Amino acid sequence: MDVLEALSVGIGAWRTIEKQTSTEVISIFKSSLYCRAPAGLICVGSQSIGHGPINVLLSEHEWNSLYNRIFAGEHLVFTKVPTSGINKVLLMRRCIYAARIDPPRDFGLKSLCLDSLWSHLFTYGKGPMLCALNGGAPCTSDPFDKVVMQRGKQGIDLLRINWNRNEWQFIADEAVKNLLGLGPGLTPSGDDLLVGYMSGLDLISAISSRAWEIKKMMQSKVLSSLARTNEISQTHIRWACRGYYMEPLTALLKAIAEGEPEAVGVSMKKLLARGASSGTDTAIGLLLALENGKEMLSSGY
């Protein structure tokens, strides 16, 4: 196999790799694979998975070449210097993806219209967490999905509690206990919802000291409870707590911060299309945080 040159390297992947690092392939999917390096996980995939802090993106041709030749348990070498050899990916500094959100202190949360975002969510969203949000009868006969819905509703109800309440440390503890690790998949539904919620806190904390306090409570509890979820999700959560998110969510946060209604709608639809229900779960968390932020600001807290 020729050396594969990355089109994009997430900041987390770049920091995980030394000059040259051998990794073990731990899981392979249609559009991506995960490798375990001594310093953490790396996700390699086609451009279709989008940018992210731990993502290394290849052209479709090179991804297909890698996908057809490598198996779980084999080793993939990452290098930062030109080289030749088998199963190697060349990381280029000029391609580093390190997007973070830096909202202005007057980005206009009060005037943000959330109705259209909720409408997009209920129109294009999917999965048991959306049913849990609706609070109606179970939308599935699958026993596991019913458990996800039941615990998901408990977590969602906790996250809806007004930020003005003094017992928010307890609320954060209980919400994380209900949601972290909840659901199947690489990133369980409850984890995605928590990431979305923390991204909303990230956005609002630029204009609200209370949102910043809630953000610290949530992050502290999530980081201290990571044993509840899987290794891949743990990695994504750690980077989310540093303010680095997957591309669809980053684009939506940027559009909200810059007050671009058209871009907000487009980005919301792209987020909702992500994964089996990952985008929907993330969007639910984000909208819950934005609703809480608007409620708090309108009450003059």
Side-chain angles (χ1 to χ4, degrees):
M1 183 189 297
D2 295 330
V3 174
L4 308 176
E5 183 174 325
L7 299 176
S8 169
V9 183
I11 185 172
W14 182 265
R15 292 179 180 177
T16 297
I17 299 301
E18 301 297 333
K19 186 176 181 180
Q20 184 164 297
T21 301
S22 178
T23 68
E24 180 187 2
V25 178
I26 60 172
S27 56
I28 302 178
F29 307 94
K30 183 178 180 180
S31 300
S32 65
L33 60 82
Y34 280 83
C35 303
R36 183 185 290 118
L41 296 188
I42 300 169
C43 177
V44 183
S46 70
Q47 293 170 274
S48 64
I49 69 172
H51 297 287
I54 66 168
N55 290 3
V56 174
L57 301 186
L58 303 176
S59 68
E60 294 296 330
H61 172 74
E62 292 197 328
W63 163 251
N64 289 331
S65 173
L66 179 63
Y67 177 75
N68 290 327
R69 300 189 192 190
I70 201 161
F71 300 91
E74 292 189 324
H75 287 79
L76 185 61
V77 176
F78 294 83
T79 179
K80 294 182 178 179
V81 294
T83 184
S84 61
I86 304 298
N87 293 355
K88 288 190 178 179
V89 177
L90 175 62
L91 307 184
M92 307 295 287
R93 182 182 291 276
R94 68 175 184 272
C95 304
I96 294 177
Y97 175 79
R100 293 187 70 182
I101 303 304
D102 185 22
R105 298 196 66 83
D106 59 348
F107 73 89
L109 181 61
K110 290 182 179 179
S111 60
L112 176 65
C113 178
L114 295 177
D115 290 346
S116 62
L117 292 179
W118 284 114
S119 177
H120 284 319
L121 177 68
F122 290 119
T123 301
Y124 302 105
K126 53 201 172 185
M129 280 295 188
L130 188 61
C131 298
L133 179 70
N134 281 326
C139 57
T140 176
S141 58
D142 186 284
F144 187 79
D145 281 351
K146 287 183 177 180
V147 172
V148 173
M149 284 180 56
Q150 181 181 14
R151 282 183 51 195
K153 184 178 185 307
Q154 292 171 355
I156 287 170
D157 288 345
L158 286 163
L159 293 180
R160 278 177 159 156
I161 294 175
N162 193 294
W163 288 347
N164 296 351
R165 297 271 288 273
N166 292 327
E167 66 273 23
W168 241 91
Q169 183 62 66
F170 172 78
I171 293 168
D173 289 350
E174 290 300 306
V176 171
K177 188 181 299 182
N178 275 283
L179 293 171
L180 192 60
L182 178 63
L186 290 178
T187 54
S189 292
D191 297 13
D192 291 326
L193 195 149
L194 287 168
V195 166
Y197 194 81
M198 289 190 294
S199 75
L201 289 167
D202 219 6
L203 198 64
I204 301 168
S205 62
I207 59 172
S208 164
S209 60
R210 181 56 173 169
W212 185 87
E213 292 170 0
I214 300 292
K215 171 185 169 182
K216 292 303 177 184
M217 292 179 197
M218 291 295 297
Q219 289 183 349
S220 175
K221 185 58 183 177
V222 167
L223 290 173
S224 66
S225 306
L226 284 180
R228 290 176 171 271
T229 191
N230 65 61
E231 183 180 13
I232 290 174
S233 192
Q234 287 176 22
T235 302
H236 286 289
I237 288 172
R238 286 192 183 98
W239 281 100
C241 286
R242 301 175 192 175
Y244 295 97
Y245 305 101
M246 295 294 286
E247 185 176 8
L249 178 55
T250 301
L252 177 56
L253 294 171
K254 183 174 182 290
I256 292 172
E258 295 178 353
E260 300 176 356
E262 185 174 345
V264 168
V266 171
S267 299
M268 181 66 167
K269 289 180 181 178
K270 288 182 178 179
L271 176 61
L272 292 172
R274 185 173 180 82
S277 66
S278 182
T280 298
D281 302 328
T282 305
I284 290 172
L286 172 59
L287 292 183
L288 290 175
L290 295 179
E291 288 284 11
N292 274 6
K294 290 196 71 171
E295 181 181 5
M296 182 194 64
L297 291 175
S298 66
S299 66
Y301 186 87

